[in-house]
């Protein structure tokens, strides 16, 4: 019986413990290697490449965060820029009131944006489809209006942010590997690599857990999932909280990256569009789809910025999004999986 069952077509072999953990180990190894390269190659690489890498990593975090709710659960969130801006302005407020290390500012941003995500989810997740998407867009507009009229954080004119010195402990740690230490931009890239690694690991863990299974059931047919006993509201609240917290953490280092923040930048259209387009191009409902999409679209935008103009970025994103939605609706992930099935 066991031999027949194992050889029967359409049945999947049980996955070993190593098979389940292989992706997680690969994420850790790649992230660690990228952090090491950032630190060791500092004197030999132009600062522009670090700035471009930071932008791509930022969109990996945002795309992964969006995918937890939009890809796994099927709820399209148009309010990404709002949660990102919460992280930005949390850093600005703390920097004005009581300056603390960036790591703790990121934690504060995660808590703030996560609580806003939880509250927003509780109020809006009873809506479905386009009504939920409109509600999240309205949230971003409301937050932007509040910031524009809040003079403490610069209001509509914006605010300049001075980069604080890297702490002595961190400088001593990095100095152990690089005699002259690292620049602040390198430090931001290392921090964003760690955050991207954390976000991707969190998405991978969600995908492989009962949360991911429940969200997939909700995405396929929410009514049937609820009838089967899936706690839909609780799962959606978990997803909105995680998604909001990761978006807030992505926004926390941003003021030190650009050194000047205004509402048009923090709530920028590019942030909202890219965080949705990258998972769709890479492939939703899987942890590595947003990573692939962010690398492809992010790299293309950086190349266009230095060769043609940054004004062409959103145009290229729009074109690629239309192409993938019509020709390959499952994204790069779907293309790869179809290719693998064809080889078998």
């Amino acid at each position: 019986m066991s031999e027949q069952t194992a050889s029967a077509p359409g049945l999947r072999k049980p996955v070993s413990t190593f098979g389940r953990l292989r992706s997680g180990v690969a994420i850790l190894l790649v992230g660690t290697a990228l952090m090491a390269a950032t630190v060791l190659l500092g004197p030999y690489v132009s600062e522009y490449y670090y700035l471009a890498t930071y932008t791509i990593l930022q969109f990996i975090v945002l795309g992964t965060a969006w995918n937890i709710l939009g890809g796994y659960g099927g709820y399209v969130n148009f309010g990404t820029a709002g949660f990102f801006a919460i992280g930005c302005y949390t850093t600005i407020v703390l920097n004005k009131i009581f300056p603390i290390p960036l790591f703790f500012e990121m934690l504060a941003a995660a808590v703030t944006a996560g609580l806003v995500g939880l509250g927003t989810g509780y109020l809006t997740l009873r809506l479905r489809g386009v009504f939920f998407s409109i509600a999240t867009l309205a949230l971003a507009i409301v937050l932007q209006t509040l910031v524009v009229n809040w003079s403490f954080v610069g209001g509509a004119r914006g605010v300049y942010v001075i980069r604080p010195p890297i702490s002595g402990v961190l400088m001593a740690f990095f100095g152990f590997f690089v005699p002259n230490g690292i620049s602040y931009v390198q430090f931001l890239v290392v921090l964003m690599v760690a955050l991207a690694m954390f976000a991707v690991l969190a998405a991978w863990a969600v995908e492989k857990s009962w949360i991911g299974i429940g969200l997939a059931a909700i995405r396929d047919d929410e009514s049937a999932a609820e009838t089967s006993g899936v706690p839909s509201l609780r799962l959606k609240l978990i997803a909105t909280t995680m998604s909001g917290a990761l978006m807030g953490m992505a926004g926390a280092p941003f003021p030190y990256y650009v050194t000047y923040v205004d509402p048009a930048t923090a709530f920028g259209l590019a942030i909202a569009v890219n965080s949705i387009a990258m998972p769709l191009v890479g492939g939703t409902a899987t942890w590595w789809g947003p990573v692939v999409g962010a690398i492809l679209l992010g790299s293309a935008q950086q190349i266009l910025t230095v060769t043609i103009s940054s004004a062409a970025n959103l145009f290229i994103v729009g074109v690629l999004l239309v192409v993938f939605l019509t020709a390959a609706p499952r994204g790069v992930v779907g293309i790869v999986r179809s290719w693998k099935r064809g080889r078998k």
Side-chain angles (χ1 to χ4, degrees):
M1 176 188 174
S2 59
E3 293 179 356
Q4 292 177 351
T5 303
S7 61
L11 293 179
R12 302 173 64 181
K13 296 181 180 179
V15 182
S16 64
T17 303
F18 175 76
R20 295 191 189 99
L21 297 178
R22 183 172 53 188
S23 298
V25 173
I27 295 167
L28 287 172
L29 291 176
V30 171
T32 303
L34 189 53
M35 282 192 285
T38 302
V39 173
L40 297 176
L41 296 178
Y44 312 102
V45 178
S46 169
E47 188 172 275
Y48 168 76
Y49 293 103
Y50 287 117
L51 296 173
T53 302
Y54 178 94
T55 302
I56 294 172
L57 291 168
Q58 174 183 278
F59 281 119
I60 287 177
V61 178
L62 289 173
T64 300
W66 183 91
N67 196 51
I68 291 175
L69 180 64
Y72 295 159
Y75 275 75
V76 178
N77 177 11
F78 287 153
T80 305
F83 292 100
F84 179 83
I86 289 174
C88 292
Y89 283 100
T90 298
T91 294
I92 292 171
V93 169
L94 290 174
N95 196 40
K96 282 177 168 286
I97 297 176
F98 183 70
I100 56 177
L102 178 54
F103 174 76
F104 295 105
E105 290 176 340
M106 292 175 68
L107 291 181
V111 172
T112 306
L115 289 175
V116 173
L118 177 64
T120 303
Y122 187 79
L123 294 174
T124 62
L125 280 172
R126 290 173 176 81
L127 303 173
R128 298 185 183 180
V130 68
F131 301 104
F132 171 79
S133 301
I134 292 173
T136 57
L137 179 61
L139 170 69
I141 295 172
V142 169
L143 290 173
Q144 184 174 5
T145 304
L146 291 174
V147 170
V148 166
N149 292 281
W150 191 9
S151 60
F152 182 74
V153 294
R157 70 180 183 276
V159 62
Y160 286 95
V161 180
I162 299 175
R163 291 172 177 170
I166 303 174
S167 69
V169 175
L170 287 175
M171 283 301 291
F173 173 76
F174 291 122
F176 180 77
F177 302 98
V178 183
N180 296 327
I182 62 173
S183 67
Y184 200 84
V185 173
Q186 285 177 270
F187 169 67
L188 289 177
V189 173
V190 170
L191 199 63
M192 192 54 68
V193 170
L195 178 57
M197 188 165 54
F198 173 74
V200 175
L201 281 172
W204 169 75
V206 167
E207 183 180 333
K208 302 301 180 183
S209 69
W210 63 273
I211 299 175
I213 296 172
L215 288 172
I218 293 170
R219 181 188 66 234
D220 293 338
D221 191 330
E222 186 167 352
S223 298
E226 290 176 345
T227 304
S228 302
V230 175
S232 60
L233 181 59
R234 183 172 64 174
L235 290 176
K236 290 185 291 184
L237 288 177
I238 292 172
T240 53
T241 303
M242 288 185 63
S243 180
L246 289 172
M247 291 175 183
M249 291 184 78
F254 187 71
Y256 299 124
Y257 168 67
V258 294
T259 68
Y260 171 78
V261 179
D262 64 344
T265 304
F267 293 90
L269 180 63
I271 294 171
V273 171
N274 279 301
S275 61
I276 298 174
M278 290 174 178
L280 291 177
V281 169
T284 56
T286 178
W287 65 266
W288 59 281
V291 177
V292 173
I295 293 173
L296 291 177
L297 284 181
S299 301
Q301 290 183 51
Q302 294 303 316
I303 293 171
L304 285 173
T305 298
V306 298
T307 55
I308 303 177
S309 170
S310 60
N313 285 348
L314 285 182
F315 173 75
I316 295 299
V317 170
V319 170
L320 289 176
L321 193 56
V322 171
V323 169
F324 271 89
L325 288 177
T326 54
R330 296 184 181 275
V332 176
V333 171
I335 295 173
V336 172
R337 288 177 173 174
S338 298
W339 177 73
K340 284 184 176 180
R341 284 196 297 267
R343 290 186 64 187
K344 293 178 181 180

